[in-house]
């Protein structure tokens, strides 16, 4: 069995990027969404992106970005992956996937089996699903889990990852319960909203890689 892939999202400093890479993260997430406490400007994202080694994938998380904003994100930051975390349509994600050389991920707030059925319209329009807890005030980063059993026997047609309330204490259980091939955390490695902790990052990666 190959090791679970790990995305540490919402990083804002060189120190936390260095810590995530050293701990074994395979993906680093940069949040470009002004309402989030983890928001970075495109200039900040570009500087941080330059610190991510080629062996680790750079992900920019965005929410309902239009054509102009998406063009600037890709041109300025040069991410490997764009993560859509809002109410984007399959047509829009498919267009970005078709017209650019970046991977396209779509986060889905998983409420029930019906959500999985509705999400199927994105198949062929994205490269990976991220299954998250249902959105509240913010689309993500709320530190809440959901019913992992919904994913246990689901017939996944595209690669996928698990996000929502994951931390060092529950990530191993989450991987065992769902078979997740990628796990994603943000608030689970923070001491306060938007403030990442290098020890928590290390502990999360260690727990995920121990499975």
């Amino acid at each position: 069995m190959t090791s679970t892939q790990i995305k540490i999202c919402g990083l804002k400093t060189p120190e936390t990027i260095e810590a995530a890479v050293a701990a074994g993260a395979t993906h680093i997430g940069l949040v470009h969404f002004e309402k989030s406490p983890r928001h970075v400007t495109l200039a900040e994202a570009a500087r941080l992106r330059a610190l991510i080694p080629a062996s680790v994938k750079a992900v920019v998380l965005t929410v309902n970005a239009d054509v102009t904003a998406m063009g600037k994100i890709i041109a300025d930051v040069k991410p490997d992956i764009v993560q859509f975390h809002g109410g984007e349509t399959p047509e829009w994600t498919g267009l970005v996937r078709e017209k650019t050389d970046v991977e396209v991920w779509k986060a889905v707030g998983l409420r029930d089996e019906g959500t999985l059925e509705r999400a199927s319209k994105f198949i062929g329009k994205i490269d990976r699903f991220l299954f998250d807890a249902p959105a509240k005030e913010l689309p993500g980063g709320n530190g809440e889990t959901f019913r992992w059993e919904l994913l246990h026997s689901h017939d996944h047609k595209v690669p996928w990852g698990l996000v929502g309330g994951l931390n060092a204490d529950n990530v191993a259980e989450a991987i065992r319960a769902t078979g997740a091939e990628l796990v994603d955390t943000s608030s689970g490695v923070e001491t306060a909203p938007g403030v990442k902790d290098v020890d928590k990052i290390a502990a999360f990666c260690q727990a995920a890689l121990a499975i």
Side-chain angles (χ1 to χ4, degrees), residues 4-8 130-133 142-146 148 161-175 178 180 182-190 200 204 208:
T4 306
Q5 297 178 76
I6 300 169
K7 175 168 169 273
I8 308 294
L130 285 179
F131 293 114
D132 197 355
N142 296 304
E144 295 190 0
T145 60
F146 60 94
W148 293 333
L162 183 67
V163 60
L166 298 180
N167 55 50
D169 295 329
N170 66 10
V171 66
E173 177 191 356
I175 294 168
T178 65
L182 180 145
V183 289
D184 183 342
T185 189
S186 185
S187 61
V189 291
E190 291 179 342
K200 287 178 180 286
F204 180 88

Side-chain angles (χ1 to χ4, degrees), residues 32 42 62 64-76 92 96:
H32 184 62
L42 289 186
T62 185
N64 299 326
D66 61 18
V67 174
T68 301
M70 183 56 60
K72 277 195 65 63
I73 288 168
I74 293 172
D76 293 2
W92 177 219
V96 174

Side-chain angles (χ1 to χ4, degrees), residues 4 6 69 87 93 95 107 122 149 170 172 177:
T4 306
I6 300 169
T93 63
L95 184 66
F122 284 94
E149 67 270 17
N170 66 10

Side-chain angles (χ1 to χ4, degrees), residues 73-114:
I73 288 168
I74 293 172
D76 293 2
V77 186
K78 300 177 176 60
D80 298 299
I81 299 157
V82 170
Q83 177 180 325
F84 290 98
H85 217 102
E88 299 88 4
T89 65
E91 292 74 23
W92 177 219
T93 63
L95 184 66
V96 174
R97 185 172 184 251
E98 178 186 341
K99 299 295 185 181
T100 72
D101 59 357
V102 299
E103 273 189 50
V104 171
W105 294 5
K106 180 72 178 82
V108 174
L110 193 54
R111 195 174 300 279
D112 51 34
E113 290 178 359

Side-chain angles (χ1 to χ4, degrees), residues 14 17 30 40-52 76-77:
I17 288 178
L30 306 172
V40 290
T41 66
L42 289 186
E44 291 167 336
R47 286 194 292 271
L48 294 169
R49 194 266 178 271
L51 303 175
I52 300 173
D76 293 2
V77 186

